[in-house]
Amino acid sequence: HYTTSGAEGDWVTLVNGHTRSIKDFRMMIKAMNSEGFRVLCGDNRGAGLTKSHRAFSLADLNGDLFHYYSALDITKSHLVGLSMGGMIALHSVLERPDFFPKLVLISTASSARFIRSDESEWPKELADIEARLASYFSTSFRDRNRPLVKAMAKQMQKDFAMGSAEQHQGATYQRQAMAGFEVTNRLAEIEIPVLIIHGEEDDIVPPAAAEELAQKIPGAQLHMFAGAGHLLLAERPKELYQVIAEFLR
């Protein structure tokens, strides 16, 4: 499942994180369109409306991008990857460096060793869901938005209860696909302009992951959001859109 938006301009491909769907990008798509970009965005295998009945790898997810490009006759696209989507993006750029003019990496890493070790299946009890969800936000955002975090936790509990066995299996397949990810030693091969964006209070993928990316990718720019956690789309959306658009322009 994928969507395209925008009548003209350079293409930008948005790739989302673990279990997330293109719904997260609705406002970002509008922002990118208003900046003069066309946008391609798809649900990764095992998430949203893209189903999978077997295990897959990050190479498969990379291949899915190029199926989109082929079907839509797209020959160049900027690439924006968020969290797990950043891992897919790194894989894609390393495999086809000629295809992507610019790369944006958000809240991600070059190696699975940076992923928090307890990133397994989510708990079922509301209090446990809320406690774990809170760790995705910065302390200040969490304190200012406790009703929002609680509402999100309740919706997640409802979604988990209503979710099919297929959806739960899809999340497992995605975790398995990330498990062996390791491209740290290949980062020096990347020659296109790269922007790395990260929250200084990210407890899911630590800031050290962004610092390593910036150190090992030649000429990469690093933009750290002070007082922000992992979910920059929720905490600092407008600033995030602006930083990305300025870089892509």
Side-chain angles (χ1 to χ4, degrees), residues 4 22 25 47 50 59 74 104 107 143 149 166 168-169 174 177 181 206 208 217-218 220:
T4 61
I22 60 178
F25 284 131
T50 300
I74 295 173
V104 180
S107 306
D143 290 345
V149 176
E166 182 181 52
H168 293 303
Q169 186 62 59
Q174 288 191 354
F181 182 69
I217 297 175

Side-chain angles (χ1 to χ4, degrees), residues 78-110:
H78 300 304
L79 189 55
V80 179
L82 192 157
S83 197
M84 185 188 80
M87 296 180 176
I88 299 169
L90 280 167
H91 191 288
S92 298
V93 167
L94 287 166
E95 292 303 306
R96 286 287 305 276
D98 59 309
F99 196 93
F100 304 101
K102 292 184 179 180
L103 171 64
V104 180
L105 300 170
I106 307 169
S107 306
T108 193
S110 63

Side-chain angles (χ1 to χ4, degrees), residues 82 107 133 136-137 152 202 228-236:
L82 192 157
S107 306
L133 178 62
Y136 281 72
F137 298 105
M152 290 177 67
D202 191 335
H230 187 67
L231 298 182
L232 294 175
L233 277 176
E235 290 198 36
R236 309 283 275 277

Side-chain angles (χ1 to χ4, degrees), residues 153-220:
K154 288 181 179 179
Q155 184 60 51
M156 290 175 71
Q157 185 185 44
K158 181 180 178 181
D159 291 344
F160 294 155
M162 296 176 61
S164 65
E166 182 181 52
Q167 290 172 319
H168 293 303
Q169 186 62 59
T172 299
Y173 287 154
Q174 288 191 354
R175 285 195 299 273
Q176 292 171 347
M178 285 188 288
F181 182 69
E182 177 59 72
V183 296
T184 307
N185 292 334
R186 297 191 62 193
L187 296 177
E189 299 175 24
I190 300 175
E191 297 180 345
I192 61 173
V194 178
L195 173 64
I196 300 153
I197 303 174
H198 217 89
E200 286 187 348
E201 295 186 27
D202 191 335
D203 286 335
I204 307 303
V205 180
E211 293 165 357
E212 181 176 89
L213 287 168
Q215 179 184 9
K216 293 185 178 294
I217 297 175

